[in-house]
Amino acid sequence: METTLRGVGVSHGVAIGEVRHMGTAVLEPPAKQIPVEDAEREQGRARQAVDAVAADLMARGNLAGGEAQAVLEAQALMAQDPELMTDVDRRISVGSTAERAVYDAFAAYRALLAGAGEYLAGRVADLDDVRNRIVARLLGVPMPGVPDSDEPYVLIARDLAPADTALLDPTLVLGFVTEEGGPTSHSAILARALGVPAVVALPGAGELAEGTVVAVDGSTGEIFVNPSDEKKAELEAAAAARKAALSSSTGPGATSDGHKVPLLANVGGPADVPAALEAGAEGVGLFRTEFLFLDDSKNAPSEDKQVEAYRQVLEAFPEGRVVVRVLDAGADKPLDFLTPADEPNPALGVRGLRSLLDHPDVLRTQLTSLAKAAEGLPVYLEVMAPMVADRADAKAFADACREAGLRAKFGAMVEIPSAALRARSILQEVEFLSLGTNDLAQYTFAADRQVGAVSRLQDPWQPALLDLVAMSAEGAKAEGKSCGVCGEAASDPLLACVLTGLGVTSLSMGAASIPYVRSTLAKYTLAQCERAALAARAADSAEEARQAAQAVLSGE
């Protein structure tokens, strides 16, 4: 019998196939005691397992490249965290086996994160995955992970660790569904990068029996269990129509009446450039520079290393626009040389621009590196600061850019509600705004972007979030300056039309989403987009806003 479930669609497309479940987590090791004389040997076993897992994660990152590489390298650093290893050694010294010591040390760290206001709860899946890999190696059992199958399937999991998501084979994994996660979780971001249909935050997904046929609609978030032949044909026809529309849509982003909306790519480094070029990106709207800094959490990369990496990206877009975000460290991206170790709530502490202003040498080196990387290139370089709260922040960043001799436009990210409320004030110091809708939603609704339980508040269709977008865009228009969106909201084709109607001047997203957005935007006039935006803002919930905009654009 056909039934329908609904989660949160995070990656476009339709997948129809049999369910396969993620490998089970490692069992809890027995709590047996070891003789004191065996402690040194057990400590050696633990270190060897940790180093092997870290090396494996780094190798997976090198294979995956791009954003996945940065995520996996962060996991490798997590595995070798000095404080964790000290705790493991201590537990072994008082009688624990290596595997039990690792298990208990990670459990204590897990509890510590939860007690820090749960901002880092979204990294619990990453932490659990590292623990499971180390314990599995110590026990000599297979690693948890993607199931072995010769036939294509739909993957079901509680959550997907980055190490698994990054290396999914799209020829075998038709799509995936997770019980946890949210629209901006690592799983969602990497799914979009892979172009694999995905639905997250679907409670009870794990109860779907192995081998059950499901149809996954990554656009709507619907899961059809035991779909009828008619439903399969309907979904496949819709998918084919979308594919045909995509292939026929080329060129710069614009509405049907010629209103230009540049479509840019979000990239994490040089490895993401080919996909952006293939998708027809008109430039880069968000160049995340963190990947360079994750190689070594104790030291910032050299100027030469930074210049080389930045230039590779800048050279790929001659006479195009490349917007670089300076290092956004802190919170869920701690760096030993930059981030305070004792913050009670890192999300509300010293992160982003605040960290850089506390370490002006790190900011100066990055800005100088960008200046050198752009020398002699016709690229339109723009540099922006993360976590700008007010005009004083914007001025401090602009002053630092000028002191570094940077010939570029200086901008500010709008990720804190205060920045949206005071957009015109901030624009007295900088030349453009870029809305990071992921963090803006997080801070607007006090809802961690990685926690599935509050995923409805992370929905970019929330009318309150649309109000802040409109406020920012109106402020920029009044000052004769630009206001783009570089958060995941831009990857939703329908929402892209609404954002255009709100006055946003450019949209930046993962490369895989660009054709979908370009094709959809080209169907409607600017006036239709503006009417859809008004209807969405007049709603009282995210779902009502989505339906209201759809009704306007479909002429209902």
Side-chain angles (χ1 to χ4, degrees):
M1 177 179 175
E2 180 180 315
T3 56
T4 304
L5 307 174
R6 181 182 286 277
V8 178
V10 296
S11 185
H12 304 297
V14 171
I16 301 174
E18 292 187 0
V19 163
R20 295 285 182 273
H21 286 269
M22 196 74 172
T24 56
V26 176
L27 295 175
E28 181 178 346
K32 63 181 181 181
Q33 292 291 108
I34 61 168
V36 174
E37 58 269 23
D38 288 348
E40 189 174 342
R41 177 177 60 82
E42 289 294 288
Q43 288 169 342
R45 286 182 63 228
R47 290 192 196 93
Q48 287 176 357
V50 165
D51 290 344
V53 167
D56 177 61
L57 290 168
M58 293 290 284
R60 286 169 176 257
N62 290 333
L63 284 172
E67 288 189 52
Q69 183 171 6
V71 171
L72 292 169
E73 288 176 352
Q75 265 198 299
L77 291 173
M78 187 184 289
Q80 296 176 305
D81 182 89
E83 291 185 19
L84 264 174
M85 285 310 301
T86 298
D87 192 20
V88 169
D89 284 344
R90 181 188 63 77
R91 291 172 187 275
I92 293 173
S93 69
V94 295
S96 284
T97 61
E99 48 267 34
R100 185 70 206 191
V102 167
Y103 186 91
D104 288 341
F106 272 78
Y109 190 44
R110 198 180 199 273
L112 183 66
L113 295 185
E118 296 232 15
Y119 180 78
L120 299 181
R123 293 295 172 264
V124 164
D126 300 12
L127 188 69
D128 288 348
D129 180 60
V130 172
R131 176 204 65 200
N132 290 346
R133 290 173 185 278
I134 297 171
V135 172
R137 185 170 288 275
L138 287 166
L139 291 175
V141 300
M143 293 285 179
V146 178
D148 290 328
S149 176
D150 295 328
E151 297 296 324
Y153 59 90
V154 173
L155 180 63
I156 307 291
R158 181 181 64 80
D159 202 352
L160 282 170
D164 298 313
T165 318
L167 296 182
L168 290 179
D169 181 351
T171 63
L172 283 177
V173 180
L174 301 171
F176 67 76
V177 180
T178 66
E179 293 192 56
E180 299 183 359
T184 58
S185 64
H186 277 155
S187 295
I189 292 171
L190 295 176
R192 285 189 284 271
L194 287 166
V196 176
V199 172
V200 301
L202 180 67
E207 297 172 14
L208 291 169
E210 190 87 0
T212 302
V213 175
V214 296
V216 179
D217 190 328
S219 299
T220 66
E222 292 174 304
I223 309 293
F224 302 94
V225 184
N226 296 315
S228 64
D229 290 341
E230 290 78 10
K231 175 57 72 175
K232 289 180 186 177
E234 176 189 329
L235 291 169
E236 288 170 344
R242 281 200 293 263
K243 187 174 181 180
L246 294 181
S247 61
S248 64
S249 176
T250 58
T255 59
S256 63
D257 56 339
H259 175 73
K260 294 186 183 303
V261 186
L263 303 181
L264 312 170
N266 293 344
V267 305
D272 291 339
V273 167
L277 293 172
E278 185 178 352
E282 297 169 59
V284 171
L286 173 61
F287 179 4
R288 302 181 180 95
T289 57
E290 289 78 56
F291 81 103
L292 271 173
F293 292 78
L294 291 171
D295 287 342
D296 182 353
S297 71
K298 298 185 183 303
N299 301 287
S302 68
E303 182 179 289
D304 288 345
K305 183 175 181 180
Q306 291 190 54
V307 170
E308 180 183 359
Y310 302 151
R311 194 169 180 89
Q312 287 183 55
V313 175
L314 297 177
E315 286 178 334
F317 295 92
E319 301 184 11
R321 178 186 179 199
V322 175
V323 184
V324 178
R325 181 178 70 189
V326 294
L327 176 62
D328 183 14
D332 60 342
K333 292 172 282 189
L335 294 171
D336 292 348
F337 65 89
L338 203 67
T339 309
D342 57 352
E343 289 187 305
N345 189 339
L348 303 180
V350 183
R351 65 166 290 197
L353 179 62
R354 298 168 186 175
S355 293
L356 293 174
L357 294 178
D358 279 353
H359 297 80
D361 53 325
V362 176
L363 177 58
R364 187 182 308 111
T365 299
Q366 185 168 26
L367 295 175
T368 302
S369 300
L370 284 165
K372 290 184 177 180
E375 283 179 3
L377 298 180
V379 66
Y380 294 96
L381 176 62
E382 301 185 12
V383 182
M384 62 185 180
M387 299 299 292
V388 171
D390 57 15
R391 182 173 178 173
D393 278 351
K395 184 179 187 305
F397 177 66
D399 287 345
C401 289
R402 282 188 284 267
E403 288 169 12
L406 191 60
R407 294 183 178 179
K409 283 188 175 182
F410 316 140
M413 290 199 70
V414 177
E415 300 165 285
I416 304 173
S418 64
L421 293 167
R422 301 290 293 170
R424 293 192 67 175
S425 174
I426 287 172
L427 285 167
Q428 303 309 304
E429 304 293 343
V430 294
E431 298 173 76
F432 68 93
L433 300 177
S434 184
L435 286 143
T437 53
N438 304 346
D439 268 322
L440 185 57
Q442 174 169 257
Y443 290 118
T444 299
F445 296 103
D448 190 330
R449 56 188 280 189
Q450 300 292 341
V451 176
V454 293
S455 63
R456 77 172 185 87
L457 297 172
Q458 268 293 325
D459 191 326
W461 281 94
Q462 284 284 357
L465 187 64
L466 298 181
D467 287 343
L468 291 174
V469 173
M471 194 172 294
S472 302
E474 289 162 5
K477 183 177 181 181
E479 295 297 327
K481 296 180 179 180
S482 62
C483 177
V485 167
C486 65
E488 294 301 315
S491 65
D492 179 334
L494 181 62
L495 185 51
C497 295
V498 168
L499 294 173
T500 298
L502 291 174
V504 165
T505 55
S506 65
L507 299 167
S508 189
M509 65 209 77
S513 299
I514 291 176
Y516 290 92
V517 173
R518 181 193 294 120
S519 167
T520 304
L521 201 57
K523 296 177 183 176
Y524 307 108
T525 65
L526 176 59
Q528 286 176 298
C529 293
E530 290 171 340
R531 288 197 295 274
L534 286 172
R537 288 183 68 188
D540 291 319
S541 71
E543 186 56 34
E544 289 175 9
R546 185 184 288 107
Q547 291 173 355
Q550 182 66 71
V552 169
L553 293 176
S554 61
E556 295 177 10

